[in-house]
Amino acid sequence: MSKHRVSRRQFLNYTLTGVGGFMAASMLMPMVRFAVDPVLKAEAGGDFIATKQKVDELTSEPVRVDFTYEQVDGWYTSDVTQTAWVYKDEAGELVALSPVCKHLGCVVNWNGDKNNQSKFFCPCHAGLYEKNGKNVKGTPPLGPLDSYPVEVRDGILYLGKPEPNTHIK
Ligand code: FES
């Protein structure tokens, strides 16, 4: 028989220390998480994706910009391609709009309808949007096109995740 038998007192001590440690960790983890959360959030908010578009080539005429990024889904990695319509507004600010129609999700084109020039046109059900993405009343879409947050790094356009349109005042 082993000489290192655990006494009842030692057993209780080990057990209570273990349970106490576990409880302390459960209480501390949310606090630690709360303290470092802003750091984690800043990193998550920083995931802009590089396009191939040079910003000084952009004009007031919307152009289609395709960009690709790697998406990791569990163990599966795939390339995802998205599109933005990008131009400079009267103030020279960059505007990047999602092409996904707010009616049923078709893809809109700039000047896609010869009877409605200087508008985004959705060919599926003749949806129309103003240049800033605002849906034209009387056409199927009930909301404006989403917009992408933009960043410029070394003269190249970077785009964030689509968000509710920020260009309609
Ligand atoms: S999906 Fe665009 S108008 Fe219907």
Side-chain angles (χ1 to χ4, degrees):
M1 192 182 278
S2 163
K3 288 183 181 165
H4 303 288
R5 287 189 61 188
V6 179
S7 70
R8 179 184 298 224
R9 181 184 293 268
Q10 280 174 318
F11 175 76
L12 275 175
N13 274 344
Y14 294 153
T15 310
L16 290 175
T17 307
V19 171
F22 179 76
M23 285 171 66
S26 332
M27 279 160 43
L28 280 173
M29 275 312 289
M31 290 190 229
V32 172
R33 171 80 204 175
F34 183 72
V36 299
D37 205 41
V39 179
L40 298 176
K41 278 228 170 77
E43 211 177 315
D47 54 354
F48 280 75
I49 296 158
T51 68
K52 292 193 167 69
Q53 179 66 49
K54 290 182 181 148
V55 170
D56 59 10
E57 287 175 354
L58 290 166
T59 66
S60 60
E61 186 69 7
V63 290
R64 183 185 164 140
V65 175
D66 291 329
F67 58 106
T68 302
Y69 60 93
E70 206 174 70
Q71 182 171 278
V72 181
D73 204 357
W75 286 280
Y76 185 68
T77 303
S78 56
D79 283 340
V80 176
T81 299
Q82 285 194 351
T83 298
W85 285 100
V86 188
Y87 64 94
K88 287 180 180 162
D89 67 12
E90 315 82 60
E93 299 293 325
L94 289 169
V95 176
L97 297 174
S98 163
V100 180
C101 180
K102 286 298 191 165
H103 179 220
L104 294 177
C106 289
V107 174
V108 304
N109 284 313
W110 175 246
N111 277 345
D113 177 25
K114 62 179 182 339
N115 296 325
N116 288 288
Q117 291 298 288
S118 299
K119 299 245 185 318
F120 289 102
F121 176 69
C122 180
C124 288
H125 314 98
L128 282 173
Y129 299 87
E130 305 290 351
K131 193 177 178 185
N132 64 3
K134 187 172 184 216
N135 50 306
V136 174
K137 277 210 173 87
T139 70
L142 296 174
L145 295 171
D146 285 344
S147 59
Y148 291 96
V150 298
E151 251 187 47
V152 181
R153 297 183 201 163
D154 298 327
I156 298 293
L157 175 72
Y158 282 67
L159 297 172
K161 293 194 171 70
E163 58 186 18
N165 194 306
T166 56
H167 303 287
I168 299 168
K169 310 292 178 217

